[in-house]
Amino acid sequence: HVQLVESGGGSVQAGGSLRLSCAASGSRFSAKCMAWFRQAPGKEREGVAGIYAGDGSTYYGDSVKGRVTISHDKAKNTLYLQMNSLKPEDTAKYYCAHDSQVPAGYCHRAELYRFWGQGTQVTVS
């Protein structure tokens, strides 16, 4: 059973940067999808970025393209989200998701993930 723990959230001024981390236990990163999603109060969950561990292919949501980078460290079993040029509209709770059964090309599909972290709050003012 996979356990995911996010960290790195916080409050930052517009234009600032944050790096979110998602430490995974109970599984190994190999040929599976991992992703970051976010949800702001009163809004639907939104895909931020995803990565397929098999070939390193990535996807980014339109609202964050060019400002965020997703990566993972196999040795540390940790997923990262580097966020730059943050905007107030980036304020949300950010969740990581991980699943060995989500196939390549579907890493952006939140409904396919079984394992989620508890979330970390990002506030941009």
Side-chain angles (χ1 to χ4, degrees):
H1 186 75
V2 178
Q3 290 185 322
L4 304 173
V5 179
E6 300 101 332
S7 61
S11 296
V12 64
Q13 290 188 336
S17 299
L18 284 173
R19 188 175 81 153
L20 306 184
S21 300
C22 174
S25 60
S27 179
R28 296 175 60 188
F29 286 159
S30 61
K32 57 178 65 74
C33 283
M34 296 160 281
W36 289 96
F37 298 88
R38 67 186 184 186
Q39 188 164 22
K43 295 187 177 181
E44 293 186 355
R45 183 171 50 192
E46 177 187 8
V48 178
I51 187 167
Y52 184 68
D55 59 8
S57 57
T58 58
Y59 92 91
Y60 294 97
D62 290 339
S63 62
V64 299
K65 278 181 183 176
R67 299 189 296 118
V68 307
T69 303
I70 188 171
S71 62
H72 77 273
D73 186 324
K74 289 184 179 180
K76 296 182 178 180
N77 228 16
T78 300
L79 181 70
Y80 299 100
L81 184 70
Q82 177 67 45
M83 302 190 294
N84 301 320
S85 302
L86 284 163
K87 304 175 181 180
E89 49 264 44
D90 294 318
T91 294
K93 197 163 188 179
Y94 285 69
Y95 299 87
C96 67
H98 176 290
D99 202 307
S100 62
Q101 295 186 14
V102 178
Y106 290 84
C107 296
H108 60 291
R109 297 281 295 273
E111 69 274 19
L112 298 180
Y113 287 90
R114 293 173 295 162
F115 304 113
W116 293 81
Q118 82 290 348
T120 186
Q121 180 67 36
V122 171
T123 302
V124 185
S125 58

